[in-house]
Every structure is written in structure tokens, then in C-alpha cells.
Amino acid sequence: MSLIHPGLLLGIVLAIIPVILHFLLRSKPKKLIFPALALLQRKKIQNSRRLKLRHFWLLLLRILVIIVIVLALTRPSLPPANYGFSAYELTMLIIIGLIAVLVYMGLMRHYQKQRVSQQTLNTRRTFLRGGIGAAAFLLVTILVLWPYQRRIFAEISEPLPAVSENIPVTAIFLFDTSLSMDYRQDSLSRLDQARTIADEHLSNLPAQSRVSVMHSSSEDHFPFQSDLTAVQSRIKSLKTSAFSLFLDDRLRAAINRQEDDFKRNQTTQQPAAPQSAGADQFVREIYIYTDLARSAWRSQPSQSIRQQLERLKWLGIYVIDVGVTNPKNMGISHINLSRETITLGNSVTIKTEIVTSGITTDNTTLELYTQNEKGQLIKRDQRQLSITGSSETNPASEPVARSNQETQLEMSLANVSQRITQGELRLTSSDPYLPDDVRYFTILAEPPPEILIVSPAPASAQLWNAALAPEKLVTLKKNRYQCKVVSLNELESTPLEQYAAVYLINVTTLPQTAWRLCTEYAENGGGVCFILGSDGDAPESMIVSFNSLAAQNLLPLELLGSLKFIPPEYLDLENNPHSLFEYFQELGGTGELSTMEVSRYWRVEPTEKGQVIATYTDSRNSPAIIERNLGQGKVVVLTTGVDASGWSQLLYARWSYLAFADQLTRYLIHTRSNRANYLAGEIAHYQWPASAPTPEIFLLRTPDLKQLLIQVKAGAQQVTIPETTAVGHYQLINNSSNSTRSSSGFSVNVSPFESNFTPISVNELDQFLGADRYSITHDMEGLKRTIRTGRLGVEIFPLLATLLLLLFCLEHFTANFFYEIDQVAETTS
């Protein structure tokens, strides 16, 4: 226990005044005139004994009154602990009180039945009260007060240091600057509310205090400053960010800074003395201003913070909760594009999810905008969103909106004609949280990639050409691929680098030069696919050619021979997890593709670098599709035919055959596609075409009107953009040859978790920080009380004042009761 005014303890000496008054103002025995002198003498002795006992109780009460007055004026404080009675202690106290009352009433009834004189009854009653009171006090001491003090001392992990309210403070103000702090209530965002409390608290700090400001948007370290004006300017400049670090990570950094400063201060003040909290000249505290949104903390609590705080008993942690009890919001949770990269002239489907919480709104509009070539936003579409829900009624008969409603809407962008289409979805609702009312997207449209089809059989090549670029789509200029068919003899004279992928269908043999050209093409990022649908008239020559050294530098397998399935088998594609079949999984299955018979196949042995993508349904699970990553490209081999030459019936699988041809081609050229949509904080990449010259420098234009130069490392095949903290559209411009045309672009959106205002629970905070190691408050007054308790301990002045009032009343009641009852008894006798 620590005392704020210990000098006033000398006032306890005043407790001798009741003793002096007791002896000076003792009442003298009255002279009673009675005929029977012996009776008078006996009555006098009984009165004297009873009066002495009563005067003794009054003396104790008056001494306690003086002691409590002095203790209350010293404002004693105790270390933080649970000073309330536990269930056991309260139960024992009630039981002892009931037993004392019952025993007293039972013995008094027994005395009244003995027909003794009123004087004897009064004497017995006086001694009975004293005895039962003493016994009850003894039982309370043994069964209640002794366990109580043991529990309190066990809860007090460390006594309070001798501090006062004017000792300077070294504090860190840690602000949660995630986007959820933009939620507005009474025209103030949660960050504004945090600033208001922090400014007021800053003005209440003692002189010579030092403050550092930290936030969750970056790892910047603001030094400790005694100039509180500079600290206020730092606080006013804080802004929310779409990307934030986890608040527990920033808290760990703040604790480390306090510990380092503490050690540095100890070394400066007392180089040879051991480090102890009592020798520090500052009170050290960390204030966390947050809305306690669960999304700002890691999903799995770390033990390191709790272990640090258990060791650093001198460090105070205060959490200022500026969150809203019942947040209301309507926002766009997710936005999904059917494809981010398409060919010019095709359409894109945009699916979005609207989430509402605590709001019932009719006729809300979702609007779709895209930018034209001049960067102006043009409205392309809109949808009416009616969110009424099924309202419930509370006991006051007021409608209550159902929370967390989800509504899905779908829009379409037809005939995308720009190389880079950047747009946004806007929700025309007025809710307290604005950041999720807009979502951005980017669509990259390129001319149809050129695909080279090489085959000695023109009919087989034309069938595959028709699957990739149907004539009707070519006429409408909506074809996804631009195919060119060449004969086997033209392969060596064809510049392969102009093509995104190369198909070699039913090829029986290749010269060494052709193998080398295909290998170099794949290493530079191209996609090569062999469809082994024919062995010609000399299967042995095909095996020799495909197993040659030049071929093995390219292929992921060795040919063993062509075989027949008797009876026919099928492609085993059920629940295939490979990315080549992701599109089929979205459609619910591969359809007729896995039901088409395969009569002939090539038996192969995958090499160490080959990976089997799919197998057949035969007992040996013979490889059907094998792939290999070669340099920056891919090599894929299908061990059966896809035409009408009798190897398989895959050609007749209708839509699933066309989808397989499309997905196989997209998989081959996947290394050349660029992602166009990111979440804030993710690292963006841009990879230029393999046929384009390597750029030297890019100019990045960000949504917050910054222009950054990004150097391309020598030999790099892509550029990395780490700065994606601003929400909106980015433009990446090739500045290598003073070009002003955008090379690419992408969009950044805020994480949907920022719209989840569910607060972190007290149990979770206990796991992060440790139970009873921190304090939570909601306003400035609560913060003042909490800080006073943390620094000075729990003040017991209110308890002493209450006790003093009770003692005064008890003393007055006892003094009047003792004499009035005797007067009544004497009158009746």
C-alpha cells in the first residue's frame, strides 16, 4: 500500500482524545433511595458492570472514528487487485451473521423464561451481546478476513512503486490507422475521436514528459519528444491507410522501444547500479487508440507480447476503445471478373456481392463506370438494389433490420475495345462507412494471341484450328486466338518468337535443328505442345527421333511404343486438382470429355523433370498428359490423338472438347499473362512479352497522384511494384524510348475484411496481452480514472468515507440505545 499524504498519519495520535474525555466525563453513579440496602448494593454492582462494558464499546467506536478520519485524509491507495468479496467469503459472512442473530435470539428467549428480575436480564443481555459480538468477530477474522487477505496478497504480483501524479511520463501513443477507423459517428471518424482523446490527454501529462507517436500504416519510428506541440502536429497529420500492419506487431515494436529507452536511461543515470523500475525517473506507458476491430489483429495470438509484459511489470498498457457499439454499413464486399485478361472485342462478366449490416434501405443503385481513352468516367450500366430484409420487432415495437445480408448482382461489359479498361463500381448509399462503397477493376485486352499449328496432316491441323478459332468468331472478330497452320517443312523457317504457343500434331520425326529451335523457344517463355496421334509407317523411327539427345532436352518423357486399349479406356479426369482443369471444376465437371473412348495411346516413361497431369483409366494408370517447365516456358505432351484418325473419340465431346482446347492453350501461354487486380499491400508484377525488347525503366502513376520511376534489373523478365498501399487505378508506362503509351495497368482495392467491424473479444485480448495486464476505457474521464489507478493504485478513500459514516451512525445509535433502554427498564420497574 502507498500513501499520497503520509505525513497526515501523525493525526492518529488524536485517537487519545476519546480516552481523555472518557476519564474526565465519566458519569458518576446516581444515589438511589431504596428500603432494602442489600438490593441496592447488588443492583449498583450490576449497573456498574454493564456501564463499564457499554462505555468500553463506545470508547472503541470513537477511537475507530478518529483513526478512519485520519486514514481517509491521507488518501491511501492499494495495488490493483480484486478487492471485492468472493462468493465463498460473502457466503461465510452471511452464515456467521445469521448464526450470531439466531444464537442471540435463542438465548434471550431462554433468559426471559427463567423469570429473573429486569435488572438481571439487562445485565445478561449486555454480556450476551458482547460475547456473541466477540465470537462473531473472531469467526469472521478466521473464516473470512484471513482467506481474504491471503487472496489479495496472492493477486498483487508486485507492490506499487512510490509515485505521485507529477512524475514525468515516457509514453507511446499507438494509433490504429486501418480503414475501419474511417467509420463516422456524429460527424467524427473513429480516428478523429482518437485524436480528440489523445490531444486532451496530452495536455494533462506532467511537465518534462516525453511522447512518441506510432501508427499501424508503416514501421516508421517517431522519436521521443518533450515538445508536445510537435507531438500534437504529428497526431493531426495521421491518416487512415488501405494497408495496415497488424496492431499486435506494432505493439511489440512499441514495447521494445520502451524497453530499449529504459535500459539506455538506466545506463546514463546509474552506470554501475543494477537496473530496476524503481530507479527510473519516468513512468512508462503505452496507449493504444483503436476501434478494436478483429481484422486489425493476427488470427493466432503470439505468446511473445504476453511474456514481455509479464517481465516488464513497470510498463503500463492502456487500450482506448473508440469503436461503435452497433455499426451500420452497406458496402461492396467482393468483385469478381470472369476474366482479367481477354482478347479485344470480347465481353467480361462482373459479379459483385453487396453486404449490409444494420441498415434497411430501398432502391439503392449500383452503378458501373469505365474510363474512356481520355480517362473520363462513363456510366455503362446500373442495377437497382432493394434491401428490405425481414424486420424483427423488439419489445418496444420498433423494427430491427436483419444484419449481415448478402446480395449478389451481375453486370456485363460487351465488346471491350481498349487495351486497358479501368473502371469502378459505385454504391449510391449514404452510410457511415464510405471506403467500401467503391470497388475498382482493370481488364487487360490484347489482340488474339497467335498460335502456330504444325502438322504433316493438314486435316488434323485444320480440326485443331477450328477448335481454337471457329470461323464464325473470326468473322465477328471475337476469336480468342489467331491460328496459323504450317507444314512440317516450314517449321525451321518460321520465326517462333512471334507466336504465343506452338502445337505439333501427329509429328513423327523432327530434324535436330527443329528440336533445338523448339527448345530455345520454350526457354524464352513459349509454350510447346505435342499431340502424339500418329506413328506413320515407321514407329521405330519416331521412337529414335523423340528419344534423341536433342529431343530429350525438350521433352518430359521417353517413348516406349504405341499400344491399343482392349477394351477402350478413358481419360481419368474426375476431381483432378491440376490448374489445367480448374475451369471444368467451376462448371461442375469435365462433361463428355471423360466419357469419350481412347483406343490407342503411346506408352511413355516420364523423365525426372516431367510431371504427369492426367492418366488413363487402365489398371496401370498410364500417363495421358505430361508437362515440363523449361526455362520460362512450358512443354506439354498428350499421348493420344484428338482427330478422327482412330486414336480417340475426344473430337466428339462437343463443348468440352472446345473447352479443353481453349484451356490447354491458355495454360501454355499462362506465363505471359499479367494479373490486373490486387488487394492493398500485395506485391504487383508486370511481365512484358517475350518478343518485346527488354525495357530499361518504367514510370508508375499511382492513384494518389505520385509518379515513381522503377528501374529494370539486368536480365529480369518482369518488374515488381511493391508500393500498392493506395486504393485505385495504377498506370505503368514504358519510358525506355520516351514512350507515353501505357504498357499496362492494374487496380488495387481495400481488403473486404476492413468492412468487418466485429470487435476482438476480451478473451482474445487476454491471450495477446495477458489477463489483468492492460486496461480498457472508452472516454477521457474513464482514461483519467484508469491511469490514476494504474499509477497510484486503487484509492480506498470512498471506502473509508463510507466506513466513517457508518461508524458515526453506529456510535450515535449505540450511545442513545444503551441509555434509553435502561431508562425504559427503570421506568417500567
Side-chain angles (χ1 to χ4, degrees):
M1 180 176 70
S2 63
L3 303 176
I4 299 178
H5 305 298
L8 292 177
L9 285 176
L10 296 175
I12 296 179
V13 180
L14 298 177
I16 199 174
I17 294 177
V19 180
I20 297 174
L21 294 176
H22 173 72
F23 287 103
L24 292 179
L25 302 178
R26 286 189 303 175
S27 61
K28 297 180 180 180
K30 299 179 181 180
K31 293 183 179 182
L32 301 176
I33 302 175
F34 281 94
L37 185 59
L39 180 61
L40 291 176
Q41 292 290 340
R42 188 166 54 252
K43 189 173 183 179
K44 177 181 179 181
I45 295 173
Q46 292 176 348
N47 286 337
S48 177
R49 290 176 180 175
R50 191 168 67 252
L51 287 175
K52 286 181 179 180
L53 184 59
R54 291 176 177 178
H55 288 166
F56 176 74
W57 285 113
L58 286 175
L59 176 64
L60 289 179
L61 285 175
R62 288 163 180 168
I63 291 174
L64 286 176
V65 168
I66 300 296
I67 293 175
V68 171
I69 290 176
V70 174
L71 289 176
L73 292 177
T74 61
R75 290 182 61 190
S77 61
L78 298 173
N82 182 17
Y83 290 99
F85 285 113
S86 64
Y88 164 78
E89 295 160 354
L90 188 61
T91 302
M92 291 302 301
L93 192 62
I94 295 174
I95 291 175
I96 292 173
L98 290 176
I99 292 176
V101 171
L102 293 176
V103 170
Y104 173 77
M105 295 177 62
L107 290 177
M108 282 300 301
R109 180 171 296 182
H110 174 70
Y111 290 153
Q112 291 173 353
K113 290 180 179 180
Q114 291 182 351
R115 296 181 180 181
V116 294
S117 63
Q118 184 65 39
Q119 188 70 22
T120 302
L121 183 62
N122 292 341
T123 302
R124 290 181 178 180
R125 183 179 59 196
T126 300
F127 282 96
L128 180 61
R129 289 172 179 172
I132 291 179
F137 177 76
L138 182 61
L139 289 175
V140 169
T141 302
I142 296 175
L143 300 179
V144 179
L145 296 181
W146 179 256
Y148 175 80
Q149 65 89 20
R150 290 182 59 128
R151 178 177 60 82
I152 293 298
F153 278 99
E155 291 182 4
I156 299 175
S157 58
E158 184 172 324
L160 285 174
V163 299
S164 63
E165 293 179 322
N166 59 352
I167 291 182
V169 176
T170 293
I172 293 179
F173 286 20
L174 175 57
F175 287 86
D176 179 4
T177 52
S178 60
L179 270 187
S180 62
M181 294 287 285
D182 270 338
Y183 187 94
R184 307 187 73 84
Q185 186 180 46
D186 299 331
S187 301
L188 288 177
S189 68
R190 299 304 86 211
L191 185 57
D192 293 336
Q193 180 69 15
R195 286 198 197 99
T196 302
I197 298 176
D199 286 341
E200 185 176 353
H201 178 52
L202 200 63
S203 62
N204 294 332
L205 290 178
Q208 300 181 354
S209 294
R210 303 157 62 234
V211 178
S212 174
V213 178
M214 297 175 61
H215 55 87
S216 61
S217 297
S218 68
E219 297 181 355
D220 295 340
H221 294 294
F222 185 69
F224 289 104
Q225 287 194 353
S226 300
D227 183 6
L228 300 187
T229 303
V231 176
Q232 287 179 336
S233 300
R234 171 74 171 176
I235 293 176
K236 290 180 181 179
S237 66
L238 292 177
K239 297 180 180 179
T240 58
S241 174
F243 171 73
S244 294
L245 302 170
F246 287 113
L247 203 55
D248 47 314
D249 292 342
R250 302 301 291 145
L251 176 59
R252 186 184 298 107
I255 295 173
N256 292 334
R257 290 192 63 195
Q258 282 281 21
E259 186 175 11
D260 293 341
D261 186 75
F262 170 76
K263 293 179 180 178
R264 185 166 48 252
N265 183 66
Q266 292 290 314
T267 304
T268 304
Q269 298 295 327
Q270 299 176 356
Q275 296 178 359
S276 63
D280 192 11
Q281 59 179 334
F282 296 99
V283 176
R284 298 187 177 272
E285 297 166 338
I286 296 177
Y287 301 92
I288 308 173
Y289 297 88
T290 176
D291 59 353
L292 286 181
R294 183 64 186 83
S295 57
W297 303 76
R298 287 189 178 273
S299 57
Q300 296 297 328
S302 174
Q303 302 294 328
S304 59
I305 297 180
R306 186 167 58 182
Q307 293 172 357
Q308 272 186 300
L309 293 179
E310 289 177 357
R311 179 170 51 85
L312 306 178
K313 300 293 184 180
W314 42 265
L315 181 60
I317 305 295
Y318 301 94
V319 179
I320 298 90
D321 179 15
V322 295
V324 180
T325 304
N326 296 312
K328 300 178 180 180
N329 182 43
M330 174 184 294
I332 306 174
S333 176
H334 295 86
I335 179 172
N336 295 319
L337 304 177
S338 58
R339 290 186 178 180
E340 294 183 355
T341 303
I342 62 172
T343 55
L344 288 171
N346 279 281
S347 302
V348 175
T349 301
I350 304 174
K351 296 181 180 180
T352 184
E353 186 177 280
I354 311 297
V355 177
T356 60
S357 177
I359 293 181
T360 301
T361 303
D362 294 330
N363 300 323
T364 301
T365 304
L366 180 67
E367 299 175 338
L368 172 63
Y369 291 85
T370 60
Q371 293 182 356
N372 59 15
E373 295 180 353
K374 297 181 180 180
Q376 299 172 335
L377 287 175
I378 306 299
K379 182 185 286 189
R380 301 289 298 273
D381 198 358
Q382 68 178 27
R383 291 286 189 275
Q384 292 297 120
L385 180 67
S386 179
I387 301 177
T388 55
S390 59
S391 300
E392 300 174 359
T393 56
N394 56 14
S397 299
E398 296 180 356
V400 179
R402 182 185 295 175
S403 60
N404 296 330
Q405 297 183 17
E406 297 182 359
T407 303
Q408 293 184 350
L409 291 179
E410 183 175 311
M411 297 183 181
S412 179
L413 279 177
N415 299 322
V416 177
S417 58
Q418 297 178 190
R419 296 285 296 271
I420 301 175
T421 300
Q422 294 185 319
E424 57 189 59
L425 289 173
R426 292 181 182 177
L427 198 61
T428 60
S429 66
S430 57
D431 60 309
Y433 186 66
L434 302 179
D436 61 355
D437 290 350
V438 179
R439 287 276 170 176
Y440 305 91
F441 64 88
T442 294
I443 301 171
L444 302 179
E446 298 288 345
E450 296 187 24
I451 308 299
L452 182 64
I453 302 176
V454 182
S455 177
S460 300
Q462 290 300 330
L463 285 174
W464 195 250
N465 181 21
L468 295 178
E471 185 176 352
K472 292 183 179 180
L473 294 182
V474 173
T475 304
L476 297 173
K477 296 183 179 181
K478 292 186 177 182
N479 52 306
R480 291 184 177 179
Y481 309 103
Q482 186 70 39
C483 298
K484 182 179 181 180
V485 178
V486 298
S487 64
L488 192 59
N489 296 330
E490 299 176 282
L491 176 60
E492 296 183 27
S493 60
T494 302
L496 301 183
E497 64 274 5
Q498 297 181 0
Y499 298 92
V502 176
Y503 281 97
L504 295 101
I505 301 176
N506 300 341
V507 172
T508 57
T509 181
L510 284 177
Q512 300 292 326
T513 304
W515 287 115
R516 180 177 53 80
L517 290 175
C518 291
T519 303
E520 293 176 355
Y521 168 73
E523 289 176 343
N524 292 328
V528 180
C529 179
F530 287 87
I531 299 179
L532 308 181
S534 174
D535 53 4
D537 298 328
E540 294 81 4
S541 62
M542 182 174 176
I543 294 175
V544 171
S545 178
F546 274 70
N547 292 342
S548 64
L549 180 60
Q552 289 301 301
N553 290 333
L554 175 69
L555 297 174
L557 50 80
E558 293 182 6
L559 288 186
L560 301 181
S562 60
L563 301 175
K564 290 185 178 180
F565 285 127
I566 302 176
E569 299 290 344
Y570 308 91
L571 289 175
D572 188 4
L573 302 178
E574 185 177 359
N575 299 324
N576 193 310
H578 195 271
S579 59
L580 174 60
F581 303 101
E582 284 182 355
Y583 179 71
F584 291 99
Q585 300 300 332
E586 295 176 0
L587 297 177
T590 54
E592 296 180 350
L593 190 66
S594 57
T595 63
M596 294 293 103
E597 295 181 352
V598 177
S599 302
R600 297 184 62 187
Y601 74 105
W602 277 94
R603 186 182 175 190
V604 299
E605 181 67 28
T607 61
E608 295 181 357
K609 298 181 181 180
Q611 179 183 359
V612 178
I613 296 178
T615 62
Y616 297 110
T617 57
D618 62 318
S619 59
R620 292 188 297 186
N621 293 326
S622 300
I625 306 175
I626 307 97
E627 73 164 343
R628 175 189 178 183
N629 293 324
L630 182 60
Q632 299 176 20
K634 291 181 181 295
V635 180
V636 178
V637 178
L638 176 62
T639 60
T640 189
V642 293
D643 51 19
S645 58
W647 283 67
S648 72
Q649 295 183 354
L650 298 178
L651 176 63
Y652 307 104
R654 295 188 298 184
W655 70 265
S656 55
Y657 174 77
L658 301 177
F660 174 70
D662 174 68
Q663 292 301 302
L664 180 58
T665 306
R666 290 179 59 82
Y667 182 69
L668 288 173
I669 64 177
H670 179 70
T671 55
R672 295 166 179 253
S673 63
N674 288 290
R675 184 177 170 186
N677 295 277
Y678 296 87
L679 294 180
E682 290 186 320
I683 298 177
H685 301 277
Y686 171 69
Q687 179 178 349
W688 49 88
S691 58
T694 302
E696 297 178 359
I697 189 170
F698 282 96
L699 176 65
L700 178 67
R701 292 179 178 173
T702 65
D704 50 359
L705 304 179
K706 294 180 181 179
Q707 295 192 124
L708 307 175
L709 293 178
I710 302 178
Q711 297 286 342
V712 179
K713 296 181 180 179
Q717 297 295 325
Q718 64 180 11
V719 66
T720 301
I721 302 99
E723 293 291 334
T724 59
T725 57
V727 175
H729 300 307
Y730 290 73
Q731 291 182 342
L732 195 63
I733 301 172
N734 186 351
N735 263 15
S736 300
S737 59
N738 296 325
S739 174
T740 58
R741 187 182 62 176
S742 295
S743 298
S744 184
F746 58 92
S747 297
V748 173
N749 283 298
V750 63
S751 171
F753 294 107
E754 289 291 344
S755 301
N756 186 1
F757 303 102
T758 303
I760 187 172
S761 65
V762 176
N763 292 334
E764 290 178 303
L765 270 181
D766 290 344
Q767 295 177 10
F768 278 104
L769 309 179
D772 301 326
R773 192 57 188 86
Y774 65 97
S775 302
I776 299 181
T777 186
H778 302 274
D779 51 29
M780 190 60 210
E781 294 301 322
L783 181 60
K784 289 179 180 178
R785 293 192 298 269
T786 304
I787 293 174
R788 186 180 297 113
T789 300
R791 294 180 187 172
L792 306 177
V794 180
E795 283 199 61
I796 58 175
F797 178 81
L799 178 62
L800 291 178
T802 304
L803 180 61
L804 179 61
L805 178 63
L806 292 176
L807 288 176
F808 265 124
C809 295
L810 182 61
E811 188 274 339
H812 181 74
F813 171 78
T814 303
N816 288 277
F817 178 76
F818 280 169
Y819 295 113
E820 287 180 0
I821 193 171
D822 285 344
Q823 292 178 2
V824 173
E826 291 173 358
T827 302
T828 56
S829 60

